[in-house]
Amino acid sequence: MSNEMKGVLLAIGATIGWSLSGVFIRYIPEIDAWTFNAYRGASMSGALILWMLLRYRGETVAHFRQATLIPLVATAGFFGIGSSLYILAMQKASVAAVSCVAATSPLFAALLAWVWLGERTRLMVFAAILVALIGVAVVAFGESGASLTGLQGSLIALVVALCFAGQSVTLRRYHSVEMAPSLIVGGFGIFAVVALTQGLAPISRNEFLILAAMGAVQLALPLVLYMRGARYVPAVQMVLISLADAFLNPFWVWLVHGEVPDRSVFLGGALILGAIVAVTLRRAAPDNSTPAT
């Protein structure tokens, strides 16, 4: 098997793992978003520590010592806030709506990279962001037809996309920094913050096991697979593969829980994903023109 095929399979495995979030969330909808993400984050961090111990063995501590403060705090902060709001959005809106809106993250990452890193950004990216925001509006107001909380969930998902974009740009800015320690700090950090400020609501043993499984299977394992796959597959292809989450996530929820999204989600989702695919494929094409800045 070629390295490229290995990378593609790893990326597909990561995307399938991420797409299980809605299924887990719908199993225990009564848990508040902060308690939910506190336990999920802690279990993800525990699983990542186990992975680092198996991979680096005695050098694990050295990887934490090499982590510098700014990327560590920024990545952990974006992850903690974004993942918590993601759970809250899922509890208010349909899985399909949240997945489609959160898929705008690559476009916002391109915009943030232009502002923060000075990377050249094509005029097409700005046009795609506009189209994607129109898609977000279609999804959000379609959800509001079902309930006010649906509109709130869609708007919260937009903030989630911005947080994930910030995390992506931070990792790009500090590409030499190991990702795992920052995510581990983020997972344990959100647990500590929730415990100290909000308090952890009591949960049953079954709920704890579901959250522990979610942190390991839906977060930690996909992160490991994605990090390994990124070595062999171009970033453009990785983005395209990860877009499958917008379809798989609501598909699994429909299959397991019978949740059917509003028709507006299909229209808005098509605008969002079409804009991202157009930009991604354009980036992969040879550039013979002067990019807009």
Side-chain angles (χ1 to χ4, degrees), residues 107 128 131-136 138 265-277:
L107 296 179
V131 172
L133 289 176
I134 293 173
V136 170
V138 171
V265 173
F266 295 99
L267 176 58
L271 289 173
I272 293 169
L273 297 181
I276 297 171
V277 170

Side-chain angles (χ1 to χ4, degrees), residues 198-232:
Q198 304 289 329
L200 297 171
I203 60 174
S204 66
R205 177 184 176 185
N206 183 60
E207 290 169 337
F208 174 79
L209 292 176
I210 291 175
L211 289 170
M214 186 179 184
V217 175
Q218 189 269 322
L219 274 181
L221 179 59
L223 283 169
V224 172
L225 295 177
Y226 195 84
M227 286 188 288
R228 293 180 65 84
R231 300 176 180 178
Y232 311 114

Side-chain angles (χ1 to χ4, degrees), residues 6-50:
K6 183 188 300 182
V8 168
L9 293 176
L10 288 169
I12 291 174
T15 302
I16 291 174
W18 280 323
S19 71
L20 296 174
S21 61
V23 172
F24 280 103
I25 291 169
R26 291 297 184 259
Y27 269 122
I28 42 178
E30 64 280 359
I31 299 179
D32 71 273
W34 298 110
T35 298
F36 193 116
N37 203 51
Y39 282 107
R40 184 184 74 143
S43 64
M44 177 207 70
S45 296
L48 285 176
I49 287 178
L50 178 60

Side-chain angles (χ1 to χ4, degrees), residues 114 119-124 126 282 287-293:
W114 172 62
E119 293 185 358
R120 293 183 297 176
T121 302
R122 301 176 187 274
L123 181 60
M124 184 178 184
F126 295 101
R282 183 66 182 87
D287 183 13
N288 297 318
S289 61
T290 302
T293 58

Side-chain angles (χ1 to χ4, degrees), residues 124-154:
M124 184 178 184
V125 172
F126 295 101
I129 290 174
L130 178 60
V131 172
L133 289 176
I134 293 173
V136 170
V138 171
V139 171
F141 287 104
E143 287 284 297
S144 69
S147 67
L148 179 60
T149 56
L151 173 60
Q152 294 172 345
S154 297

